[in-house]
Amino acid sequence: VSVVDAPGSARAGAAAATGSARVVILGAGFAGLSACEALAAGADAAGLEIVIVDRHTYNTFQPLLYQVATAGLNPGDIAYPVRAFLRRHPSVSFRQGAVTGVDLARREVVFEGDGPPLAYDYLVIATGAMTNFFGVVGAREHSLAIYTMEDAIAVRDRVARSMERAATFGVSGGELTVVLVGGGPTGVEMAGTLAELRSLDLAMTYPGIRPDEARIVLVERQDHLLDGFQAKSASYALRALRRRGVEVRLSSAVMEVGPDHVVLEDGEKIACGTVVWSAGVTTGRLAERLDVAKVQGGRLEVTPALQLTGHPEVFVAGDVAGARREQGSSALVPQLAQPALQEGRHAARQLLRLRRGLPLEPFRYRDKGIMATIGRRAAVAELPGGLRLSGTPAWLAWLGLHLVFLLGFRNRVAVLLNWAWRYVWWRRGTRVIAGT
Amino acid sequence: VSVVDAPGSARAGAAAATGSARVVILGAGFAGLSACEALAAGADAAGLEIVIVDRHTYNTFQPLLYQVATAGLNPGDIAYPVRAFLRRHPSVSFRQGAVTGVDLARREVVFEGDGPPLAYDYLVIATGAMTNFFGVVGAREHSLAIYTMEDAIAVRDRVARSMERAATFGVSGGELTVVLVGGGPTGVEMAGTLAELRSLDLAMTYPGIRPDEARIVLVERQDHLLDGFQAKSASYALRALRRRGVEVRLSSAVMEVGPDHVVLEDGEKIACGTVVWSAGVTTGRLAERLDVAKVQGGRLEVTPALQLTGHPEVFVAGDVAGARREQGSSALVPQLAQPALQEGRHAARQLLRLRRGLPLEPFRYRDKGIMATIGRRAAVAELPGGLRLSGTPAWLAWLGLHLVFLLGFRNRVAVLLNWAWRYVWWRRGTRVIAGT
């Protein structure tokens, strides 16, 4: 097989000679890194060489992408270098590259102009998902996604640029209006943060812009926000957003997106400068190209142990995996950080069991709760055991959890400082426009 | 006149009616912001409306650009939002835009596709400089400058990418070699930081790369480093760099830059992956286009009060100004942060005096000292009164001064944290590659 070996290539050659095997992990998101961590723990005993592959050299803390999009955090604050993670795991190497396909028959990963294919004995697919524009006219061209770091930076720069232009040339139409499509956690968090920015920051930073010139419209297809949350949480979020001046349009859908407007289902045209699309995700390109069984949302069909159907040597984890909430149920686990972490760990453990000839165990999703934040001292949280929080307690829980989960000490401190600065002194710490 | 008014446009109209005047400041660097601050203090009394113009919305702390280039700091750490500065100065407005020219006869600033011209009564030109490639073959195409934030990010990304490629595909030639052209403070600081990274960080982050595969070559045309410093400082820097494994080539010049090599004066060809050009600056594009008298380095000729020769209503400050070290001398002030701050303040004060009909005062450069740092506990500093420091005392002085001068509290804390992390625990806090 044609192989390009990452650092430690001597090891790979030696490994092949002694009958050991190579695991390739595609994706350094939550699922990929969690699989990597669990695999690395048993790698030596199992004679495994691990290569993790990603197009970026960093892991993105996706739950806080909306903070980058609203200029509350710097990109570096929520990016964790894969190589810093690798330092703790000498059996793992990293290859930066864009994967265009997997040859399941030859057991090779194929790269886009980034060198020869990489052979594997075991594969973990954790490549995530892609924004789903549902075929809405103009949505792909004229709206901004919010799934990757690049997406978040693009949103931040678009909003900031329209502010700068308005400050110089005045507002003639809806160029300061932001339309958020999709009332899930991301849409709600974006709307709440933008509303807070408008009421606390706008007058100070752009004295020439009237707050009512910067409308925030949140469009949700269903008759409630935060689908998947309890009705009480959803209505709390609705009230909290409306109290902050967000125009929430329930039971409404965007039918068309233009360069300076959106058209709703009922024909209403809303002039706007920015459309942020957070209405859902679909399978990523790699999964799309794989000629294997798929389930809802294009997610890859997996066995209870999270193996790709028909390919026991391939495991799938994270947003790309069609893992079921419960065995026998048709409902899939939500595409969130928690399940991704759990699936990554589970896939890794089953891979180690497979290697040792042990019977595999089914994945069991443990719901650790869901939360969404609307603004300062306004959030909803649903914890296991039926505990439901809203307002300040939920916000504090959200704050603490996100800080604890943020990978890496340094990032944690920087985030804490940014937040302290913002919430204690009511100021924005970060306000830099640039591709930076 | 055709005018686009920034926020507070009502004020501008009113101002014109009451016989007040508009000052336009070109550039939000050290000189521009310092001029702005001094003008704002007297703006009301003098009936002045101030508009500051920059293509970016932030001020860059240029003395620490090399830290961004070596991934020690995030771009956001050394960027200070102009609008945060403006909050303290309600008489000032900001216009983001790329200035293509100044019509000195019509008293208008012309923008590149960014709306109609902006009329002025007084103008402060503080547009900085531009990297000078001295016409060396291939230098513009194949080397990276280090004067703007974009420059620094490009250097960081180039070095990181070559590391990633080497980690995956191995090192075949000099792709990890960095050639630094120019042994001034920037070249010395870059070389020292890269050497420190190599000895402290490389083995941990890229276990497959041997430190000797990542050569650091510093080429200086003169027979000493740090021109402008005393001989003792220069030789200290030379020893400190060589002790850290930097290959310093004195009395040598780069004659040609190729995509993967440089050629020195004596014919030696050095294979390399990155060339950083810090050999000097020349006039910026705006100054180049102005049909006025120039002095050395294309800097604009100014009167002792820092007025543009022949245009008493136009003041010049910072790297673009040909201000003299002493009146009657032909030596110009160095193109550094300190003189820029002093010139900006002086230009503003003279503008206010001109407005009041008072006689103008000549600019007097107060040398507050110069410093350069080589690495941890290794720096040189030359303070007023002949005090010369090197080693740990100089390094501590450098550290303290840069922290104190960094604009904005938040930035200061973030920088402090990054440094503490790095220097106390010998780790790199920041290691994110991306346009981020």
Side-chain angles (χ1 to χ4, degrees):
Chain A
V1 288
S2 162
V3 167
V4 171
D5 284 314
S9 48
R11 169 164 39 82
T18 59
S20 75
R22 176 187 284 157
V23 186
V24 173
I25 300 172
L26 301 184
F30 286 134
L33 282 192
S34 139
C36 189
E37 181 118 43
L39 273 173
D44 288 344
L48 291 178
E49 179 220 350
I50 302 161
V51 183
I52 186 160
V53 173
D54 201 289
R55 59 185 306 140
H56 294 125
T57 57
Y58 54 87
N59 168 272
T60 302
F61 194 84
Q62 284 180 312
L64 290 179
L65 272 180
Y66 80 94
Q67 288 267 359
V68 170
T70 52
L73 292 176
N74 280 315
D77 296 335
I78 64 159
Y80 182 76
V82 176
R83 290 196 179 275
F85 173 86
L86 258 52
R87 285 177 183 173
R88 303 197 300 269
H89 302 295
S91 59
V92 185
S93 58
F94 172 68
R95 176 163 167 182
Q96 184 182 18
V99 172
T100 54
V102 174
D103 188 330
L104 292 168
R106 299 183 59 173
R107 301 196 179 174
E108 280 183 358
V109 175
V110 183
F111 292 84
E112 175 188 273
D114 271 336
L118 181 64
Y120 64 81
D121 298 296
Y122 300 95
L123 184 68
V124 178
I125 302 180
T127 45
M130 206 168 65
T131 297
N132 191 349
F133 294 104
F134 300 103
V136 170
V137 176
R140 189 181 296 276
E141 298 78 9
H142 301 299
S143 68
L144 299 170
I146 182 153
Y147 188 77
T148 66
M149 186 73 91
E150 288 92 338
D151 292 341
I153 292 171
V155 170
R156 178 194 69 176
D157 291 353
R158 170 81 69 95
V159 172
R161 261 174 216 293
S162 54
M163 289 288 170
E164 285 303 328
R165 291 196 70 79
T168 302
F169 302 116
V171 182
S172 56
E175 55 266 55
L176 292 184
T177 297
V178 179
V179 174
L180 303 156
V181 187
T186 304
V188 165
E189 292 179 326
M190 279 289 295
T193 312
L194 287 173
E196 229 172 52
L197 273 177
R198 180 174 59 179
S199 62
L200 298 172
D201 194 80
L202 188 64
M204 248 195 308
T205 308
Y206 298 96
I209 298 178
R210 294 198 323 271
D212 66 320
E213 290 175 315
R215 291 169 63 195
I216 303 159
V217 184
L218 177 62
V219 183
E220 165 58 43
R221 209 165 41 82
Q222 307 199 53
D223 64 359
H224 57 276
L225 295 173
L226 294 179
D227 198 39
F229 284 69
Q230 296 174 34
K232 278 190 174 176
S233 300
S235 64
Y236 172 89
L238 181 63
R239 269 178 288 127
L241 286 178
R242 290 198 164 143
R243 203 180 311 128
R244 284 166 171 76
V246 175
E247 303 171 39
V248 184
R249 307 292 180 91
L250 296 175
S251 307
S252 183
V254 169
M255 300 305 285
E256 188 194 315
V257 183
D260 58 359
H261 67 276
V262 299
V263 180
L264 301 186
E265 220 170 20
D266 61 5
E268 188 191 356
K269 186 171 165 176
I270 302 176
C272 59
T274 308
V275 182
V276 179
W277 197 269
S278 59
V281 293
T282 181
T283 177
R285 280 211 187 80
L286 181 78
E288 216 169 55
R289 284 190 199 125
L290 283 180
D291 186 21
V292 296
K294 314 264 168 78
V295 294
Q296 299 98 290
R299 289 155 81 174
L300 302 179
E301 188 184 274
V302 292
T303 67
L306 301 184
Q307 286 157 302
L308 187 64
T309 307
H311 294 273
E313 77 284 6
V314 180
F315 290 82
V316 191
D319 287 359
V320 69
R324 305 197 175 275
R325 226 172 211 289
E326 278 149 32
Q327 295 313 322
S329 130
S330 71
L332 302 183
V333 299
Q335 286 164 301
L336 297 171
Q338 261 304 321
L341 289 168
Q342 293 177 27
E343 291 167 46
R345 200 180 319 118
H346 187 83
R349 286 183 182 161
Q350 300 317 302
L351 198 159
L352 292 173
R353 289 180 73 86
L354 182 68
R355 177 93 180 134
R356 288 195 213 102
L358 299 173
L360 302 196
E361 298 160 335
F363 174 66
R364 271 199 206 88
Y365 172 50
R366 264 164 309 240
D367 188 347
K368 295 203 175 167
I370 40 179
M371 14 176 75
T373 183
I374 292 104
R376 187 181 187 238
R377 297 171 62 177
V380 291
E382 297 178 359
L383 306 177
L387 184 59
R388 205 186 68 79
L389 302 175
S390 65
T392 306
W395 183 73
L396 289 173
W398 172 86
L399 203 66
L401 258 174
H402 279 79
L403 283 182
V404 169
F405 279 125
L406 263 186
L407 289 158
F409 167 79
R410 186 212 153 259
N411 281 345
R412 211 140 66 210
V413 176
V415 167
L416 186 62
L417 271 171
N418 260 312
W419 274 342
W421 189 243
R422 178 168 161 214
Y423 283 118
V424 179
W425 287 284
W426 285 120
R427 295 269 302 270
R428 303 292 289 179
T430 312
R431 170 70 29 98
V432 172
I433 315 174
T436 61
Chain B
V1 289
S2 162
V3 167
V4 170
D5 283 314
S9 49
R11 171 162 38 84
T18 58
S20 73
R22 176 186 286 156
V23 186
V24 173
I25 301 172
L26 300 184
F30 286 133
L33 284 192
S34 141
C36 189
E37 181 119 43
L39 274 172
D44 288 344
L48 291 178
E49 178 221 350
I50 303 161
V51 183
I52 186 159
V53 173
D54 200 288
R55 56 186 307 141
H56 295 126
T57 56
Y58 55 87
N59 168 273
T60 302
F61 194 84
Q62 284 181 312
L64 289 178
L65 273 180
Y66 79 95
Q67 288 268 359
V68 170
T70 52
L73 292 176
N74 280 314
D77 296 335
I78 64 161
Y80 182 77
V82 176
R83 288 196 181 275
F85 173 85
L86 259 52
R87 285 177 184 172
R88 303 197 301 268
H89 301 294
S91 59
V92 185
S93 57
F94 172 69
R95 174 163 170 184
Q96 184 182 17
V99 172
T100 55
V102 174
D103 188 329
L104 292 168
R106 300 184 57 174
R107 301 195 179 175
E108 279 183 357
V109 175
V110 184
F111 292 85
E112 175 188 271
D114 273 334
L118 180 64
Y120 63 82
D121 298 295
Y122 300 94
L123 183 69
V124 179
I125 301 180
T127 45
M130 206 168 65
T131 297
N132 191 349
F133 295 103
F134 299 104
V136 170
V137 177
R140 188 180 297 273
E141 298 78 7
H142 301 299
S143 67
L144 300 170
I146 181 152
Y147 189 77
T148 67
M149 186 72 92
E150 288 93 337
D151 291 342
I153 292 172
V155 170
R156 178 192 70 175
D157 290 353
R158 170 81 68 95
V159 172
R161 262 175 217 291
S162 54
M163 287 290 170
E164 286 301 329
R165 292 196 70 79
T168 302
F169 303 115
V171 182
S172 58
E175 55 265 55
L176 293 184
T177 297
V178 179
V179 173
L180 304 156
V181 186
T186 304
V188 165
E189 292 180 326
M190 278 289 292
T193 312
L194 287 173
E196 229 173 51
L197 273 177
R198 180 173 62 178
S199 62
L200 299 172
D201 193 80
L202 189 64
M204 249 198 306
T205 306
Y206 297 96
I209 298 177
R210 293 197 323 272
D212 66 320
E213 290 175 317
R215 292 168 64 194
I216 302 158
V217 184
L218 177 62
V219 183
E220 165 57 44
R221 210 165 41 81
Q222 305 200 55
D223 64 358
H224 57 274
L225 295 173
L226 294 179
D227 198 39
F229 285 68
Q230 295 176 33
K232 278 190 174 178
S233 300
S235 63
Y236 172 89
L238 181 63
R239 270 177 288 128
L241 286 178
R242 289 199 164 142
R243 204 180 309 127
R244 284 165 170 76
V246 175
E247 303 171 39
V248 182
R249 308 291 180 92
L250 296 175
S251 306
S252 183
V254 169
M255 299 307 283
E256 186 194 317
V257 183
D260 57 359
H261 68 275
V262 299
V263 180
L264 302 187
E265 219 171 21
D266 61 5
E268 189 191 355
K269 185 170 167 176
I270 302 176
C272 58
T274 308
V275 182
V276 179
W277 197 269
S278 59
V281 293
T282 180
T283 176
R285 280 212 187 75
L286 181 77
E288 217 169 52
R289 285 192 199 122
L290 283 180
D291 186 22
V292 295
K294 315 264 166 80
V295 294
Q296 300 100 287
R299 291 155 79 173
L300 303 179
E301 188 183 274
V302 291
T303 67
L306 301 183
Q307 286 157 302
L308 187 64
T309 307
H311 295 273
E313 76 285 6
V314 180
F315 289 82
V316 191
D319 287 359
V320 70
R324 307 201 173 272
R325 223 173 214 290
E326 278 148 33
Q327 294 313 323
S329 131
S330 70
L332 302 183
V333 299
Q335 286 163 302
L336 296 171
Q338 260 305 321
L341 289 168
Q342 294 178 26
E343 291 168 46
R345 201 181 319 119
H346 188 83
R349 288 185 181 158
Q350 299 318 303
L351 199 159
L352 292 172
R353 290 181 72 88
L354 182 66
R355 178 92 180 135
R356 289 194 214 104
L358 299 173
L360 303 195
E361 299 161 335
F363 173 66
R364 270 197 207 88
Y365 172 51
R366 264 164 308 241
D367 189 348
K368 295 204 174 167
I370 41 179
M371 12 177 76
T373 183
I374 292 105
R376 187 182 187 239
R377 298 170 61 177
V380 291
E382 296 178 359
L383 306 178
L387 184 60
R388 206 185 67 81
L389 302 175
S390 63
T392 306
W395 182 72
L396 290 173
W398 173 85
L399 203 65
L401 257 175
H402 279 80
L403 283 182
V404 169
F405 278 125
L406 263 185
L407 289 158
F409 167 80
R410 185 211 153 261
N411 281 346
R412 212 141 65 209
V413 176
V415 167
L416 187 62
L417 270 171
N418 258 312
W419 275 342
W421 189 242
R422 178 169 162 214
Y423 282 117
V424 179
W425 287 283
W426 284 118
R427 294 269 303 271
R428 302 293 287 179
T430 310
R431 169 68 33 98
V432 171
I433 314 174
T436 61

